[in-house]
Amino acid sequence: MTKLEFMNKLESLLSEIPLEEREEALRYYNGYFEDAGEDHEQEIITELGSPERVASIIKADLNSDGTDLENRGYFTEKGYQDTVY
């Protein structure tokens, strides 16, 4: 999968959320890819997982009231591990 394929799929999966939220999420992930550089696209895709996973996290965060965010995961030497996803 390429960055373009990943982002197109993510955009499609986020089609049901409000436009402003969708645009913000897409800007964030585009920036994430750009910051890593073209040579690291596959690493970023591996790190993020599937577009379906990313979309489900975004949708869950939008539907969350925020009260359980502190108890969802933990930090490891490989980064934050979210127990919900």
Side-chain angles (χ1 to χ4, degrees):
M1 175 173 279
T2 66
K3 170 192 168 188
L4 182 59
E5 292 168 331
F6 186 96
M7 293 304 298
N8 285 339
K9 180 69 173 177
L10 182 59
E11 183 174 11
S12 172
L13 292 165
L14 295 177
S15 64
E16 62 212 35
I17 69 172
L19 179 62
E20 184 177 317
E21 300 290 345
R22 182 172 58 246
E23 288 176 343
E24 182 180 339
L26 294 172
R27 272 193 308 273
Y28 173 82
Y29 286 100
N30 264 318
Y32 196 70
F33 275 104
E34 288 173 12
D35 288 347
E38 206 173 302
D39 294 338
H40 299 283
E41 274 185 19
Q42 288 307 306
E43 292 171 33
I44 297 302
I45 291 169
T46 300
E47 176 186 323
L48 294 174
S50 69
E52 290 83 2
R53 178 181 179 276
V54 173
S56 70
I57 292 169
I58 292 167
K59 290 175 185 179
D61 285 346
L62 287 174
N63 293 326
S64 172
D65 63 5
T67 57
D68 64 342
L69 293 180
E70 311 86 47
N71 301 318
R72 287 189 356 191
Y74 54 92
F75 287 96
T76 71
E77 64 277 357
K78 293 185 176 185
Y80 187 74
Q81 300 295 311
D82 195 328
T83 58
V84 175
Y85 310 106

